[in-house]
């Protein structure tokens, strides 16, 4: 089992003991509406199915914890798991505004770039989520375009702004070099 330890967080693969906490945090419409794949509400059965699908296993999805309490999830799915690759994250509302999202994303970027075959990481956020845009900018991603994605929680298509971070751009970031 891979764990990533940051200054304040431990990122670890989620397990069956985390199902209720993940469902609790993601059953907040303010969380689920900013994602593509999380329904609202997010029933325990859906969280269990996500856990059993293998998507939440290995080195692709990490539960962010503080003192063993789950606060969010950060994941990276390289092709072919996502058509162009994808980094995604969410943080439970009680933990907003504390810099955890930036810390989670930066940690996963470092981890993902341990793979010598990976040269860039794409990410996006819905256009009505400027907070996510600020996290993405702080991590060094560069804008590349727009696309429309379907939000399961909203039940509609939503404009998404897309970005990418190359290995060279990541390595040029002061936070990346300061390990």
């Amino acid at each position: 089992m891979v764990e990533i330890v940051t200054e304040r967080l431990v990122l670890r693969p989620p397990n069956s003991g985390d199902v209720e906490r993940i469902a609790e945090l993601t059953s907040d419409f303010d969380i689920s509406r900013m994602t593509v794949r999380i329904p609202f509400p997010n029933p325990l059965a859906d969280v269990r199915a996500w856990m059993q699908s293998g998507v939440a296993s290995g080195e692709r999805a990490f539960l962010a914890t503080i003192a063993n309490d789950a606060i969010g999830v950060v994941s990276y799915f390289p092709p072919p798991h996502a058509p162009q690759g994808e980094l995604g994250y969410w943080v439970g509302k009680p933990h907003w505004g504390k810099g955890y999202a930036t810390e989670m994303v930066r940690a996963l970027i470092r981890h993902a770039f341990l793979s010598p075959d990976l040269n860039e990481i794409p990410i996006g956020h819905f256009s009505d989520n400027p907070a996510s845009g600020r996290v993405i900018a702080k991590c060094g991603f560069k804008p590349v375009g727009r696309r429309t994605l379907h939000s399961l929680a909203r039940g509609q298509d939503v404009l998404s702004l897309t970005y990418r971070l190359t290995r060279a751009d990541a390595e040029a970031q002061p936070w990346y070099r300061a390990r």
Side-chain angles (χ1 to χ4, degrees):
M1 176 175 84
V2 173
E3 280 191 353
I4 302 169
V5 179
T6 70
E7 183 179 323
R8 303 178 294 168
L9 305 170
V10 174
L11 307 178
R12 62 166 175 79
N15 62 54
S16 59
D18 301 315
V19 169
E20 288 184 21
R21 181 67 170 146
I22 291 170
E24 174 190 350
L25 291 170
T26 56
S27 288
D28 183 322
F29 189 65
D30 289 335
I31 302 296
S32 59
R33 76 183 185 92
M34 293 302 178
T35 72
V36 172
R37 294 181 190 90
I38 299 174
F40 177 78
N42 195 6
L44 289 172
D46 284 14
V47 177
R48 281 190 194 99
W50 174 71
M51 299 279 284
Q52 294 168 353
S53 72
V55 171
S57 66
E59 298 181 27
R60 293 180 281 180
F62 292 87
L63 186 74
T65 64
I66 299 172
N68 234 5
D69 181 39
I71 67 158
V73 169
V74 61
S75 57
Y76 176 69
F77 300 100
H81 304 287
Q84 300 166 337
E86 175 186 353
L87 190 151
Y89 63 93
W90 58 264
V91 174
K93 195 188 282 184
H95 305 285
W96 285 3
K98 298 175 182 167
Y100 294 132
T102 302
E103 192 170 333
M104 291 162 53
V105 171
R106 287 177 175 174
L108 193 57
I109 289 167
R110 284 189 190 112
H111 177 73
F113 279 134
L114 291 175
S115 170
D117 299 331
L118 184 65
N119 291 309
E120 70 178 50
I121 299 172
I123 195 169
H125 68 88
F126 289 142
S127 62
D128 60 348
N129 189 354
S132 195
R134 288 188 295 275
V135 168
I136 289 167
K138 284 190 264 184
C139 293
F141 286 85
K142 305 264 192 301
V144 294
R146 299 165 173 247
R147 65 182 174 172
T148 301
L149 297 172
H150 187 78
S151 168
L152 193 57
R154 297 182 199 203
Q156 66 186 34
D157 292 344
V158 182
L159 177 64
S160 177
L161 307 177
T162 59
Y163 305 79
R164 75 178 183 151
L165 180 68
T166 65
R167 178 184 295 276
D169 288 342
E171 290 172 348
Q173 298 292 317
W175 60 263
Y176 190 88
R177 294 189 311 265
R179 294 189 214 206

